[in-house]
Amino acid sequence: MNHTNQSTAVFLINESTRAILVTYEEGDSAPRTMFKTFDQNIEVDDMVIVPTNTRHKMTVCKVVDVDVDVDFNSGTLVEWIIGKVSTDEYQEVVRREKDALKTIRSAEVRREREKLKEALLADLNGSKDDRSIALLAGDLDKPSGE
């Protein structure tokens, strides 16, 4: 075999090298690009950072296949994966924020309800009809004598 693609030579000399297919776009029809890595923990659906010629010379891709066969006769450059993206901490922060916002909304509703209740009770003139509305919700004790 005449091996002219030097970017795939590492696959021949180091058995720990893995060929990983990634996509830059969502969807089953998105083109797949091969990268190489020594990281044995990269799995399908992981997000990885790969080199590019745009922006900061890197971007994030999604892993769609691992440990694929390498075509040593292909002239396509196979570059190294820069690293795996860990989203665990980000997802935990987002979850905590969501929980906090839910608690804040609940407190706001409770505060508004209390303000409205105070205003309603202040406006009631004590008549039986006015008090009956508040009694429906069980907010007031029954007037004495009833």
Side-chain angles (χ1 to χ4, degrees):
M1 170 173 59
N2 182 10
H3 189 265
T4 58
N5 186 347
Q6 293 182 357
S7 72
T8 59
V10 70
F11 290 101
L12 297 172
I13 59 175
N14 189 323
E15 291 181 14
S16 295
T17 311
R18 299 174 71 202
I20 308 285
L21 291 181
V22 305
T23 59
Y24 291 89
E25 306 290 332
E26 287 290 326
D28 294 336
S29 63
R32 297 166 172 224
T33 305
M34 182 181 290
F35 286 88
K36 56 193 171 190
T37 185
F38 290 126
D39 188 337
Q40 301 302 310
N41 297 313
I42 293 177
E43 300 174 351
V44 171
D45 292 332
D46 282 345
M47 302 301 270
V48 293
I49 303 167
V50 299
T52 66
N53 292 321
T54 60
R55 295 184 301 274
H56 299 293
K57 304 297 183 198
M58 60 182 76
T59 194
V60 175
C61 291
K62 186 173 185 175
V63 175
V64 292
D65 206 353
V66 296
D67 302 318
V68 297
D69 293 331
V70 177
D71 179 0
F72 293 103
N73 295 316
S74 170
T76 303
L77 177 68
V78 180
E79 295 196 65
W80 290 97
I81 288 175
I82 295 171
K84 182 176 168 180
V85 177
S86 174
T87 60
D88 294 344
E89 185 176 332
Y90 165 76
Q91 290 171 351
E92 178 64 16
V93 168
V94 169
R95 184 194 64 76
R96 286 182 181 188
E97 179 185 42
K98 184 178 176 182
D99 289 348
L101 291 174
K102 185 177 177 182
T103 301
I104 290 168
R105 281 190 298 276
S106 175
E108 288 173 345
V109 167
R110 189 171 28 261
R111 183 187 69 224
E112 291 300 315
R113 187 175 286 139
E114 289 298 320
K115 281 175 43 178
L116 180 58
K117 178 181 171 183
E118 285 178 28
L120 267 173
L121 292 176
D123 286 351
L124 291 176
N125 63 15
S127 77
K128 182 178 177 184
D129 289 339
D130 289 340
R131 292 180 59 83
S132 67
I133 294 171
L135 286 171
L136 285 175
D139 287 335
L140 298 174
D141 292 326
K142 269 191 154 178
S144 59
E146 285 190 26

